[in-house]
Amino acid sequence: MRRTIEIQQAGPAPGALPGRPDPAGARCEAFIRGLYEEHGALLVRFATRLLGGDRHRAEDIFQEAAVRAWRHSGTLGAQTKGLRPWLFTVVRNLVIDDQRSRRAASPLPESFEQAELPVADEVERTLTSHVVTQAMRDLSERQREVLVHMYFLGSSVAQTAEALGVPPGTVKSRTYYAMRALRAALEVRGVEC
């Protein structure tokens, strides 16, 4: 994997002579090239895994980590060997920041009816809904109602206990056994949980 990073400078580096190559630019290029050769493939795979398979974003994350490494090369040293732990930490933090900013940018649904499941398309959504509905029919009435309150309506244990007229401990145990029963009903239908 070889990508080119352009580092722009406002003018020649201090001490650079007109008409001669910029020694800071050459050091920067050698440093970045060394990072890519020694750590690039491994860190891009690491970022890709953290990003759920999005290799393009992973490459952008590594590029940002390389730029940060160059900015801190005075502290870290000009050698790229031994930077791997620092780079892993920077990449992980950049992925976390990226995911947080994406989450903050996506609006939350206004109600339960508007919430959409992360499903590939309408056909898959319909099939998933049908399978879950069929599996819910295998549950007892008490199990169904506790799951509807806890998961579909988003009620807390206390709110569910009040709505059903049972103690909170009963809600917790019903939820536990209802989820086990639902998981078994889905597995019978070929859905892996």
Side-chain angles (χ1 to χ4, degrees), residues 36-69:
Y36 271 89
E37 289 172 0
E38 290 180 43
H39 310 293
L42 180 65
L43 286 164
V44 168
R45 277 196 310 268
F46 174 66
T48 301
R49 192 172 64 243
L50 291 177
L51 292 165
D54 189 342
R55 184 168 176 85
H56 295 292
R57 274 187 27 224
E59 289 173 352
D60 291 342
I61 294 284
F62 179 69
Q63 186 173 6
E64 176 62 27
V67 170
R68 289 186 183 192

Side-chain angles (χ1 to χ4, degrees), residues 7-118:
I7 307 283
Q8 297 180 355
Q9 295 180 345
L17 299 173
R20 294 213 177 161
D22 177 18
R27 283 194 317 266
C28 176
E29 184 176 336
F31 182 83
I32 297 293
R33 188 175 314 257
L35 278 179
Y36 271 89
E37 289 172 0
E38 290 180 43
H39 310 293
L42 180 65
L43 286 164
V44 168
R45 277 196 310 268
F46 174 66
T48 301
R49 192 172 64 243
L50 291 177
L51 292 165
D54 189 342
R55 184 168 176 85
H56 295 292
R57 274 187 27 224
E59 289 173 352
D60 291 342
I61 294 284
F62 179 69
Q63 186 173 6
E64 176 62 27
V67 170
R68 289 186 183 192
W70 171 247
R71 286 185 190 144
H72 291 91
S73 64
T75 307
L76 298 170
Q79 296 297 319
T80 58
K81 296 186 186 306
L83 290 182
R84 189 168 287 173
W86 185 86
L87 287 167
F88 269 104
T89 302
V90 170
V91 166
R92 191 185 100 249
N93 290 341
L94 287 169
V95 167
I96 290 169
D97 291 345
D98 181 68
Q99 291 172 337
R100 284 180 182 159
S101 67
R102 288 181 185 273
R103 246 185 273 132
S106 65
L108 296 174
E110 293 179 18
S111 69
F112 174 72
E113 290 80 23
Q114 292 176 337
E116 292 191 27
L117 298 173

